[in-house]
Amino acid sequence: MIPESMLPHLVDVEHPGTRTDRYGNAVADWSPGATTHAEVSAWLQQNTGAEDNDQRSAQIGEWLMICNPVDTSGSPITVYGKDRVHWQGLDFEVIGPPGPAYTPVEFHHYEIRLKTVEG
């Protein structure tokens, strides 16, 4: 595991609940009270930034989040591609499945790609 002193950012990992839509399909439910949250110590860094000015003025950023496989209370966490991450007023979507990183003998940490769009 990564020492906590090297993970200075406290983030909120949000998992959606599920509900049934009018066609009987199970869909993600992001309404208050339906989601679950995990407080996680992490390292976040922005990898790319771009502006989309074609039809609107949007700021798009891709970030990397590195975290241990446990939350701040020591409970195991699982991060899915449909999850959201919140940090310092920014809301991120997880891009694809998180990448597990291993030492030669065990699972070590997650490397999670994030995306944020403003505007």
Side-chain angles (χ1 to χ4, degrees):
M1 295 221 313
I2 300 170
E4 291 292 319
S5 62
M6 298 193 66
L7 301 172
H9 307 124
L10 189 60
V11 303
D12 173 34
V13 177
E14 182 180 18
H15 304 284
T18 57
R19 64 175 177 80
T20 304
D21 68 9
R22 62 182 175 175
Y23 304 107
N25 301 311
V27 295
D29 184 357
W30 293 101
S31 63
T35 61
T36 58
H37 297 262
E39 189 175 78
V40 176
S41 295
W43 174 274
L44 280 97
Q45 66 184 34
Q46 186 172 5
N47 291 337
T48 64
E51 290 184 37
D52 180 2
N53 291 321
D54 187 28
Q55 297 294 324
R56 62 182 183 162
S57 179
Q59 301 291 314
I60 303 166
E62 289 194 18
W63 293 63
L64 175 66
M65 178 175 122
I66 297 173
C67 67
N68 286 322
V70 295
D71 63 17
T72 55
S73 68
S75 298
I77 62 165
T78 304
V79 181
Y80 301 101
K82 61 186 174 203
D83 290 345
R84 295 177 180 168
V85 173
H86 309 282
W87 174 66
Q88 292 190 350
L90 295 173
D91 299 315
F92 301 95
E93 294 178 11
V94 174
I95 303 173
Y102 292 86
T103 66
V105 295
E106 65 184 354
F107 175 49
H108 190 258
H109 66 273
Y110 282 121
E111 294 183 6
I112 302 166
R113 293 176 42 231
L114 305 173
K115 181 179 182 179
T116 183
V117 178
E118 295 178 27

